[in-house]
Amino acid sequence: MFGDINASATIAALWPRFAPMAIELGAKDFDLAALKDSGPRDLTRSIASWLYALTDPVIDGVEFSSRHGDDLRLWAIFERPSGETNVSPLLTQRENSRLTPETPELVEAFRTLGLAWAS
């Protein structure tokens, strides 16, 4: 099961537990704006850790909108090792790919985020 972090029901369910932390970290409230803040990620890391630790129901990951636009839907998959393989059973058809500075998807991500390689 995946959680939709942007859903109003999710924000309402998380509010009692995480509103004090959001406010302590400088947010005006625990809301979507706090979750999309590009500053330190203490709040979102804490939420992810708490969701990962849930056992009833087990959350396999979260879906959320990018701070760069609500049309960009992102997924974080909680990789829980299975058996002796230390690989999540949710990860199938895996393949290794070599990334270089010329990899088209990486070039596009750097362009979108205004990043440059360090010398």
Side-chain angles (χ1 to χ4, degrees):
M1 174 167 70
F2 288 85
D4 183 353
I5 294 300
N6 293 84
S8 59
T10 303
I11 293 171
L14 295 173
W15 193 92
R17 180 175 299 273
F18 292 102
M21 179 182 203
I23 292 166
E24 180 180 307
L25 292 170
K28 294 190 186 297
D29 194 2
F30 179 78
D31 56 12
L32 197 52
L35 296 174
K36 288 187 175 186
D37 184 357
S38 65
R41 306 306 295 167
D42 295 340
L43 178 62
T44 53
R45 276 192 230 116
S46 295
I47 293 167
S49 294
W50 184 76
L51 291 171
Y52 180 88
L54 286 178
T55 57
D56 185 24
V58 171
I59 304 293
D60 295 312
V62 294
E63 177 185 4
F64 56 100
S65 294
S66 168
R67 64 185 176 86
H68 296 287
D70 287 338
D71 59 318
L72 301 173
R73 297 300 287 172
L74 307 174
W75 294 79
I77 299 172
F78 297 155
E79 297 181 49
R80 291 189 173 84
S82 174
E84 295 181 22
T85 65
N86 286 332
V87 175
S88 168
L90 296 173
L91 300 175
T92 60
Q93 301 175 354
R94 296 178 300 143
E95 65 180 62
N96 293 324
S97 298
R98 184 170 178 83
L99 293 178
T100 69
E102 293 79 28
T103 301
E105 295 84 356
L106 198 53
V107 169
E108 179 63 15
F110 269 55
R111 186 195 63 72
T112 299
L113 297 171
L115 300 174
W117 290 101
S119 303

